[in-house]
Amino acid sequence: MSLPNLLYIHSDQHNPYVTGCYGDDLVKTPNLDKLASEGVVLENVYCPSPICVPSRMSMLTGRYPYENRVWTNSHILDSGIPTFAHAMGAAGYEPVLIGRMHALGPDQLHGYTERLVGDHGPNYPGGIGVDHGKLSGTAGPARVSLEKSGPGQSAYQVHDEDVTAATVDYINRLGVQKRAGLLEKPFSISVGFMLPHQPFVARKEDYSLYEGNITLPQYPEPFSDSLHPYFKWWREKCGISHVGTDEIIRARTAYWGLVTRMDLMIGQILTALSVNNLDENTLIIYSSDHGEQVGEHGLWWKQTFYEDSVKVPAILSWKGVIPEGSRCERIISSLDINATMIDALNAPQLPNSRGRTLLPLLKDKNTDWEDIAFSEYCTYDDCFHRMIRQDEWKLNYYHGQPPQLFNLNDDPNELNDIANDPKCQDIKNVLIEKVLDGWDPDEIKLQMEEKKSDTQILSRWTRNTQPSDQYRWNLLPEMDYLD
């Protein structure tokens, strides 16, 4: 078989359980569901960090955040670390990125040879941020994102419509080349969406699909002193100790609408691939950088190791290679998707990647596979957290605070923390030892302080020299509004 093409679609903040093929009977995601019917749905994929930049940079390099030294959205990935785009380029591909990457710093390619439609934020630390106009503040983890929710328009949707148009145009041009006999090599296209990231604002046509039909969170968790100390602090910090029913319903209605809109745009891209006869021998992958709590456990956004936040959807389709209509329940890291793409394109392995190719497992479910994945979340608020999922167990380590332990076979909704159960002390200690193996929270704190000092200088440089943003999408305040 000749070398395959790659179409890799990566969204932002998509809770896998808000997808038809993951069991949501309400949400309308016909295009993702069709893709799933033509390939494999990975049931248990964990992101390397439940926040954007660390997760995305790890997905690029196949290394954990502590190995990239990228823990927050203000950290810059070292350009000397090779990515899967570098590997593909080394194999003879010319990898193209269209849309979101969310890398900070002067290197806005990280191995891609071409980039169409940039991110909406500044390329450099200290650069001029965006003005969300009437939705100011709603893009971050703050109560205002719930208060200012409902029908309207998010600039992020406008961005993704631009990304979709550019992708469809690019694929159509490849089709022209193919029909003319000029398409000499396989393609590698990465598509980065912003949706369904908050603001929780969806256009009326999408919002109305779910208005009056959305339910309250299935597992609400009232605010109380009995909450784990991190979640008590987090909910107080973000103003979500108590959230009214109207806000919950509005935000959830909009989120379901945003997922549907994203699915429609993915459908346009997949249609362009098909009508140009470019879907043969093409590995198509859909995934996301992290999930979204949508009110479950009394939480919103991401920043947690609960399944809604730390799990991501992952659908792989490759006609004639990956069995159609299959599902895989093994424990997988997003880093393994990185390694799978590299393997499929016969590109050189990244020498320091932690990723494991999935292709042998997807072709033969009896292939040896260790069911293990890690995720980490570190901030300047003295949060140094790391999760391990191994077999049926999940342990969440909070440096300086009690851990959480769940048996996801017995308790898939994580309602019963058994960290203090006398019968579970052995497994708890084993998992804590694995979490801390090579991962030193005290050392990470020192490294983060060093990076903070470095960033202060870089930010001052940016403010004084005002370098131009080479890859930036122009987000305008009038793009954001509520009806």
Side-chain angles (χ1 to χ4, degrees):
M1 181 186 290
S2 59
L3 288 174
N5 306 306
L6 173 69
L7 174 62
Y8 170 48
I9 302 172
H10 201 232
S11 66
D12 197 317
Q13 205 157 310
H14 184 192
N15 180 326
Y17 302 114
V18 187
T19 320
C21 58
Y22 280 90
D24 188 331
D25 295 329
L26 178 61
V27 73
K28 300 180 188 302
T29 52
N31 297 293
L32 288 176
D33 297 345
K34 182 175 183 293
L35 185 65
S37 71
E38 297 169 348
V40 60
V41 174
L42 306 182
E43 302 270 17
N44 293 299
V45 179
Y46 290 87
C47 68
S49 181
I51 192 169
C52 299
V53 173
S55 181
R56 289 171 175 274
M57 299 306 100
S58 287
M59 185 59 201
L60 282 170
T61 67
R63 306 184 190 191
Y64 291 117
Y66 79 93
E67 295 169 318
N68 284 333
R69 288 168 55 92
V70 175
W71 292 283
T72 78
N73 286 351
S74 65
H75 290 164
I76 298 173
L77 178 66
D78 183 347
S79 294
I81 299 177
T83 69
F84 66 73
H86 286 111
M88 292 172 193
Y93 288 82
E94 295 181 6
V96 175
L97 171 63
I98 307 175
R100 182 98 163 135
M101 178 163 61
H102 207 173
L104 192 62
D107 186 353
Q108 289 292 308
L109 293 176
H110 283 292
Y112 287 101
T113 58
E114 185 179 2
R115 187 173 183 187
L116 310 174
V117 188
D119 288 304
H120 62 276
N123 292 176
Y124 298 90
I128 298 173
V130 298
D131 180 0
H132 281 283
K134 294 180 179 179
L135 297 183
S136 178
T138 59
R143 177 63 174 271
V144 66
S145 72
L146 306 180
E147 296 168 342
K148 293 183 179 181
S149 60
Q153 178 177 280
S154 163
Y156 293 163
Q157 179 171 332
V158 181
H159 171 272
D160 287 358
E161 289 170 340
D162 203 358
V163 168
T164 302
T167 305
V168 169
D169 179 68
Y170 190 89
I171 292 172
N172 285 339
R173 291 177 184 275
L174 289 177
V176 171
Q177 294 177 40
K178 180 179 180 180
R179 290 186 290 275
L182 300 175
L183 194 60
E184 298 178 349
K185 60 171 63 176
F187 60 80
S188 169
I189 304 172
S190 297
V191 181
F193 283 126
M194 278 298 308
L195 295 187
H197 191 290
Q198 82 267 15
F200 297 117
V201 177
R203 290 216 187 107
K204 184 65 178 177
E205 60 186 300
D206 300 323
Y207 189 88
S208 62
L209 290 172
Y210 303 102
E211 194 169 15
N213 297 317
I214 286 292
T215 60
L216 290 169
Q218 195 171 6
Y219 303 103
E221 196 159 341
F223 185 83
S224 71
D225 289 337
S226 63
L227 287 174
H228 185 279
Y230 169 66
F231 295 112
K232 185 173 185 294
W233 169 82
W234 177 248
R235 289 174 67 172
E236 289 174 334
K237 174 183 170 67
C238 299
I240 54 171
S241 298
H242 307 280
V243 179
T245 299
D246 289 347
E247 289 176 53
I248 293 172
I249 292 295
R250 282 201 317 272
R252 284 168 63 89
T253 301
Y255 185 80
W256 264 249
L258 293 171
V259 170
T260 289
R261 177 52 52 181
M262 177 191 67
D263 180 85
L264 289 170
M265 289 188 278
I266 290 173
Q268 293 177 46
I269 294 170
L270 296 179
T271 297
L273 200 68
S274 176
V275 299
N276 286 287
N277 294 315
L278 293 169
D279 52 346
E280 295 297 326
N281 197 23
T282 296
L283 172 59
I284 304 171
I285 297 178
Y286 169 73
S287 193
S288 196
D289 56 356
H290 48 71
E292 158 66 55
Q293 289 285 164
V294 288
E296 298 294 348
H297 293 275
L299 297 162
W300 294 86
W301 321 297
K302 52 268 190 182
Q303 292 103 354
T304 87
F305 296 135
Y306 283 121
E307 297 283 273
D308 293 287
S309 167
V310 78
K311 255 190 183 178
V312 294
I315 304 169
L316 284 68
S317 174
W318 189 1
K319 294 179 180 178
V321 179
I322 295 175
E324 294 187 9
S326 56
R327 306 184 81 88
C328 178
E329 297 183 353
R330 306 304 294 265
I331 309 303
I332 292 166
S333 168
S334 293
L335 308 188
D336 300 327
I337 297 175
N338 169 303
T340 302
M341 291 190 287
I342 290 172
D343 183 25
L345 273 59
N346 197 28
Q349 294 183 7
L350 296 175
N352 294 297
S353 170
R354 299 298 191 117
R356 308 164 290 175
T357 179
L358 292 161
L359 292 182
L361 178 64
L362 299 182
K363 295 174 184 178
D364 179 3
K365 64 181 181 180
N366 295 317
T367 299
D368 286 341
W369 184 265
E370 184 181 10
D371 289 295
I372 191 169
F374 293 89
S375 188
E376 65 188 282
Y377 176 66
C378 301
T379 76
Y380 287 110
D381 290 311
D382 278 336
C383 296
F384 301 97
H385 304 168
R386 197 178 193 209
M387 178 216 82
I388 179 173
R389 170 75 198 270
Q390 184 168 24
D391 301 322
E392 72 268 34
W393 299 98
K394 180 199 272 189
L395 182 131
N396 304 328
Y397 175 87
Y398 305 92
H399 191 53
Q401 294 180 337
Q404 290 177 303
L405 180 65
F406 301 99
N407 184 311
L408 295 185
N409 283 355
D410 299 336
D411 180 25
N413 300 306
E414 301 166 290
L415 303 177
N416 183 26
D417 178 4
I418 51 177
N420 292 325
D421 187 330
K423 293 179 292 186
C424 299
Q425 295 312 294
D426 287 346
I427 185 64
K428 181 179 79 171
N429 292 333
V430 167
L431 294 176
I432 288 176
E433 184 177 356
K434 290 187 177 184
V435 160
L436 296 175
D437 183 15
W439 187 85
D440 183 344
D442 294 322
E443 177 61 25
I444 289 172
K445 182 175 183 177
L446 292 175
Q447 293 180 14
M448 287 180 63
E449 288 301 322
E450 291 176 2
K451 292 182 75 72
K452 187 175 184 179
S453 299
D454 291 343
T455 302
Q456 289 172 348
I457 297 296
L458 296 174
S459 297
R460 286 182 63 181
W461 175 86
T462 299
R463 288 192 293 269
N464 287 327
T465 64
Q466 297 185 10
S468 60
D469 289 318
Q470 186 176 2
Y471 297 96
R472 185 165 181 182
W473 184 77
N474 190 21
L475 188 154
L476 302 173
E478 55 265 31
M479 294 175 180
D480 280 299
Y481 59 80
L482 284 168
D483 289 336

